[in-house]
Amino acid sequence: AKKDVDVSKAKTHWAFLPPKDVAPPAPGHPIDAFLLAELKKKGLGFSPPADRRTLLRRASFALTGLPPAPEELEADETWEASVDRLLASPRYGERWGRHWLDVARYADTKGYVYDDREEARFIYSSSYRDWVVRAFNDDLPYDRFVALQIAADRLGEPKDRVAMGFLTVGPRFINNTHDIIDDRIDTLSRGLLGLTVSCARCHDHKFDPIPTTDYYSFYGIFHSSTERAEPLAAPAGEFGEALKKKEEELAALYAKRTKELLDRLRKKTPDYLVAALAVAKFPTEEFYEILGADDLKPFIVRRWAAYIDRSKEHPVWKTWHALAAIPERDLAAAVPAWLAANAFHPKIAAAFAGEPPKTMKDVAARYGAAFKEPDDVLRGILEGPDSPVATPKGHFSEVEWFYDENVRKEIGGKHREIERFILGAKDAPPWASYLADKDLPVTPRVFRRGNPALKGEEVPRRWLTLFGGRAFAEGSGRAELAKAVASAENPLTARVWVNRVWMHHFGQGLVRTPSDFGLRSEPPTHPALLDWLARRFVAEGWSTKKLHRLLLTSAAWRQSSGLATDLLSAFPRRRLDFEAMRDAFLATSGKLDPALGGRAVNLASSGRRTIYGFVDRLNLPSLYRVFDLTGADAHIAQRFTTTTPQQALYLMNSPFLVEQARGVLGRTPEKDPDARVRALYRRIFGRAPSAGELDLGLRFVREGVAEPVVR
């Protein structure tokens, strides 16, 4: 047996210790004090400050993802007032909401699905995206922001449940429960804690103090939760009436097929008891099987085996467990004496009258005979809430394994029909998807080598061993998990978020591995500064806007651009990401649609901000990929930045760019060539042209064509 992970050796790792209570090493702006202390050791200092126009453009793109209008560049306001104005803009939430959607591996489609029974598009993804945008605009405290995305059903109001799209907008893996849960564990642990907990799915983490038992503790929390979907407002009018009719039809079909199923399962109890003896031979859900109505359902076989295993003290099953402990070669000889000496259930006793059983298969057959004409006790086993054949509950994707292939298609097809109806209705209200605790929480067991068919030791649903391993006892444990993640006592959560915010402002985090703070991560370039920022962030109410204000008012952030170094002796030159680039073109041309929220759109034919573009998890448009917007198959720690010919070709040849150029010309009505060139520079760059630029522009007007040619 593998020895336990040695957590004690890892407890001295900087990320697992509480942030130190350090003071800035000099008066003045605290960020500058920390950075200058390191720069001075190398005989360096800050670069000169950038000019006001550069700073306003830098801040506007950083906080809103849009260029400042010429009027904003020319306004007479203090730097602090400019920062506050940008933070108050509704465009701020769109910009920083998009950053968060990378963390949440956001997409508008599920990935691989069963085409004949499942709609590929989410009906609720846009609602989650809009909640994220509002949360940033409202400066929802980050601890609350995090907690609601894990357990809004327990910690918030009904309207807050939409926040749990964080867990439910991930890939669906053709409804493979184990992979869906693994994705949720990975997104939560890397995105919020900077820990690669999913590495412990098959074995103890090779580097970090995360044993496999920790992974399955988290697995049990999510397996004890069931998925739900509901409208954020009551469906009304013709849409509401039509939806109600469709849902009633589905409910009636569900009830009819479930009754038929349960009747069959109860009649086949003898077969399931025999099968439970060889439960390891039956495949788990990730191995899809096409089953007929009378075929044994592997899912039910495993439920019977688990039920019998946990019922050792039940009067009906005491005999089973006692006989199972006797070697088969001695079974026939031992049974009569054991039965004579022990009192047990009369129906079971009658089943063993006559010739004694020779094998456990014979024992299972005797039990099965007793269940054919059950008394009240046996009927309770077949029909009670804890029965192995209890009425399936939960989202259809969680219970489809109860049913045969034809019923799976039939019920799944009805679900798909309803979802397509919702997606196609213009007057449908926004939808929310969330997790709710199951009536009976699951006590997880380790899957040996990650194989669900090889069950190992039971583990409690609990917090990470590294931080004490406190057991969770409230329902599934998600609410307790949310509180633990969002706790000020947790040394990771505040550090990870502060580092992400720093990364988006300076191009690199203080920790270069923003989603991995484990033992193999790079140490922070400025550990004292990171700790000070984390403590300050928590002390100021987990306010992300206050954190932005702190960073943007530092001299470090306001330096002129130059060669980037870890010590930040100049502001690193930054390239616009895809969203800011496209939105800037639209804003400059006057064609940007300012509407907030709503369903995802096709960007090829829309002037909406890029955050509202439809994201297809399986078929990400080539335009997105050309400009480094990576896929949404998993949590994205940090986007890559590439330079390719396709980027230049798009900017030179795209009809979209030609259209925006025409839009800019339409906003500069000046007739005089000199005045028009100056107006264009003011509109596009927010400044006057230099003498050389003015001359170049006038020569283009004299020698160029009247309109761009689209080939």
Side-chain angles (χ1 to χ4, degrees):
K2 191 179 186 304
K3 65 179 181 180
D4 292 339
V5 172
D6 187 352
V7 174
S8 61
K9 289 184 179 179
K11 285 191 174 180
T12 57
H13 179 58
W14 64 268
F16 303 152
L17 297 171
K20 294 178 181 177
D21 185 9
V22 292
H29 196 289
I31 290 177
D32 298 335
F34 282 108
L35 294 178
L36 283 170
E38 297 302 315
L39 283 167
K40 288 177 180 176
K41 293 177 183 177
K42 304 292 184 181
L44 300 172
F46 285 149
S47 297
D51 61 83
R52 178 174 175 77
R53 171 193 159 276
T54 298
L55 288 176
L56 279 171
R57 286 179 63 84
R58 184 186 296 173
S60 188
F61 277 117
L63 295 179
T64 71
L66 294 171
E71 299 77 20
E72 293 172 334
L73 290 171
E74 296 159 5
D76 182 16
E77 60 182 0
T78 65
W79 176 243
E80 289 75 12
S82 297
V83 172
D84 288 340
R85 172 175 53 77
L86 293 169
L87 289 171
S89 167
R91 306 302 157 202
Y92 159 75
E94 292 173 323
R95 176 61 168 167
W96 281 81
R98 180 56 257 188
H99 289 324
W100 183 259
L101 296 184
D102 279 4
V103 175
R105 64 6 184 160
Y106 174 88
D108 293 296
T109 63
K110 302 171 185 176
Y112 292 101
V113 298
Y114 295 118
D115 293 332
D116 58 352
R117 73 194 68 172
E118 188 173 7
E119 170 54 41
R121 295 166 294 173
F122 289 119
I123 62 172
Y124 49 79
S125 55
S126 58
S127 303
Y128 170 67
R129 177 245 292 146
D130 291 348
W131 179 86
V132 169
V133 171
R134 287 194 302 273
F136 276 103
N137 277 334
D138 295 342
D139 198 20
L140 185 67
Y142 184 71
D143 57 341
R144 180 71 172 165
F145 177 75
V146 164
L148 289 178
Q149 292 184 78
I150 302 171
D153 61 313
R154 298 290 301 273
L155 303 177
E157 302 295 327
K159 63 181 177 62
D160 296 322
R161 291 172 178 170
V162 67
M164 295 180 68
F166 176 74
L167 297 173
T168 62
V169 298
R172 307 307 297 209
F173 307 102
I174 321 184
N175 287 328
N176 182 327
T177 299
H178 309 304
D179 286 347
I180 291 172
I181 291 176
D182 180 72
D183 165 73
R184 290 171 179 170
I185 293 172
D186 181 62
T187 301
L188 181 147
S189 63
R190 287 203 294 145
L192 306 181
L193 299 172
L195 289 178
T196 53
V197 174
S198 281
C199 291
R201 182 177 183 177
C202 304
H203 49 72
D204 291 341
H205 201 295
K206 289 188 178 297
F207 307 111
D208 292 339
I210 304 170
T212 305
T213 51
D214 275 3
Y215 176 89
Y216 287 98
S217 294
F218 278 25
Y219 179 96
I221 292 169
F222 289 114
H223 199 38
S224 298
S225 305
T226 184
E227 197 167 332
R228 298 278 186 264
E230 63 185 25
L232 293 176
E238 293 184 7
F239 168 78
E241 293 174 4
L243 178 63
K244 182 180 178 183
K245 182 179 179 181
K246 289 179 180 295
E247 289 178 335
E248 288 173 346
E249 291 173 354
L250 173 61
L253 175 64
Y254 220 151
K256 180 180 179 181
R257 297 292 181 249
T258 298
K259 183 180 183 304
E260 295 169 352
L261 168 71
L262 295 179
D263 288 344
R264 282 195 298 272
L265 292 178
R266 288 165 184 159
K267 288 177 182 177
K268 294 181 76 66
T269 296
D271 300 323
Y272 278 106
L273 289 173
V274 172
L277 294 169
V279 64
K281 296 181 180 179
F282 286 82
T284 52
E285 290 78 50
E286 66 271 21
F287 301 105
Y288 190 84
E289 283 197 307
I290 297 177
L291 299 171
D294 292 321
D295 292 338
L296 291 181
K297 312 293 187 294
F299 185 63
I300 304 300
V301 174
R302 286 194 299 281
R303 288 188 62 163
W304 264 113
Y307 179 84
I308 294 170
D309 186 59
R310 67 175 181 266
S311 302
K312 292 180 173 65
E313 300 304 316
H314 194 290
V316 169
W317 301 106
K318 278 187 175 182
T319 300
W320 176 288
H321 288 286
L323 300 185
I326 299 172
E328 276 203 347
R329 64 178 180 274
D330 302 328
L331 191 60
V335 165
W338 192 92
L339 295 176
N342 292 275
F344 52 95
H345 189 270
K347 273 277 184 182
I348 303 300
F352 282 93
E355 184 179 351
K358 297 181 175 62
T359 66
M360 278 304 295
K361 186 178 277 190
D362 291 341
V363 172
R366 302 291 179 90
Y367 265 81
F371 275 98
K372 285 183 177 179
E373 295 181 4
D375 60 9
D376 289 344
V377 175
L378 298 182
R379 190 175 294 108
I381 292 173
L382 293 179
E383 300 178 6
D386 193 30
S387 169
V389 293
T391 303
K393 296 179 181 179
H395 190 276
F396 183 64
S397 64
E398 298 173 278
V399 300
E400 65 172 313
W401 311 105
F402 279 85
Y403 301 91
D404 61 80
E405 185 70 7
N406 289 334
V407 175
R408 290 175 185 174
K409 290 183 177 180
E410 185 181 28
I411 296 179
K414 280 289 184 183
H415 274 283
R416 181 183 62 176
E417 178 185 323
I418 290 174
E419 290 189 340
R420 287 187 173 178
F421 173 68
I422 294 169
L423 288 165
K426 293 183 179 178
D427 52 349
W431 235 257
S433 174
Y434 62 97
L435 300 183
D437 288 356
K438 291 180 179 177
D439 294 336
L440 295 173
V442 175
T443 299
R445 293 173 64 178
V446 171
F447 297 167
R448 296 198 298 273
R449 298 188 298 279
N451 186 345
L454 301 176
K455 300 291 195 302
E457 63 181 297
E458 284 190 355
V459 293
R461 299 181 303 281
R462 56 174 169 76
W463 186 220
L464 296 168
T465 303
L466 174 65
F467 300 130
R470 178 174 57 85
F472 297 151
E474 300 174 13
S476 69
R478 260 186 313 104
E480 293 163 286
L481 174 63
K483 293 174 183 176
V485 171
S487 170
E489 303 302 315
N490 180 341
L492 290 168
T493 303
R495 275 193 182 112
V496 168
W497 180 237
V498 164
N499 189 64
R500 288 196 197 284
V501 174
W502 184 280
M503 175 186 74
H504 286 300
H505 281 301
F506 288 96
Q508 290 280 2
L510 294 169
V511 179
R512 297 296 195 250
T513 50
S515 292
D516 184 3
F517 277 38
L519 299 180
R520 303 281 286 188
S521 68
E522 293 188 33
T525 57
H526 297 77
L529 173 57
L530 180 61
D531 280 3
W532 184 88
L533 285 170
R535 290 178 64 89
R536 166 95 172 232
F537 177 59
V538 172
E540 292 197 329
W542 302 77
S543 168
T544 301
K545 284 191 176 182
K546 288 181 180 178
L547 178 59
H548 288 305
R549 195 176 292 112
L550 180 68
L551 297 181
L552 269 63
T553 54
S554 68
W557 195 88
R558 290 187 285 176
Q559 295 177 91
S560 54
S561 298
L563 182 65
T565 67
D566 285 352
L567 297 180
L568 288 172
S569 59
F571 189 82
R573 295 176 68 90
R574 306 288 307 283
R575 205 167 77 186
L576 293 182
D577 57 28
F578 172 64
E579 293 92 338
M581 180 192 73
R582 180 181 176 276
D583 295 347
F585 288 143
L586 288 166
T588 304
S589 69
K591 296 181 180 293
L592 182 67
D593 182 345
L596 284 166
R599 292 186 178 179
V601 299
N602 181 356
L603 291 183
S605 57
S606 175
R608 299 293 306 280
R609 286 203 70 172
T610 310
I611 187 176
Y612 301 117
F614 186 81
V615 179
D616 188 334
R617 180 167 267 125
L618 279 185
N619 187 24
L620 196 68
S622 58
L623 176 61
Y624 288 28
R625 288 182 275 111
V626 163
F627 287 100
D628 305 320
L629 200 163
T630 51
D633 290 332
H635 157 84
I636 300 168
Q638 187 173 7
R639 293 187 193 177
F640 295 105
T641 300
T642 64
T643 301
T644 65
Q646 290 87 345
Q647 295 166 352
L649 289 170
Y650 174 82
L651 294 174
M652 289 189 290
N653 299 325
S654 164
F656 171 77
L657 265 295
V658 173
E659 181 183 352
Q660 306 320 309
R662 288 188 175 125
V664 175
L665 289 174
R667 301 183 78 186
T668 51
E670 290 81 358
K671 300 298 183 184
D672 177 67
D674 183 285
R676 196 167 201 196
V677 171
R678 292 179 185 277
L680 285 170
Y681 267 83
R682 179 175 180 269
R683 174 66 58 189
I684 298 170
F685 299 113
R687 62 174 173 82
S690 67
E693 290 168 337
L694 179 60
D695 180 62
L696 184 64
L698 292 174
R699 282 196 289 119
F700 177 81
V701 171
R702 289 194 299 268
E703 301 169 8
V705 293
E707 286 285 335
V709 177
V710 181
R711 301 187 187 279

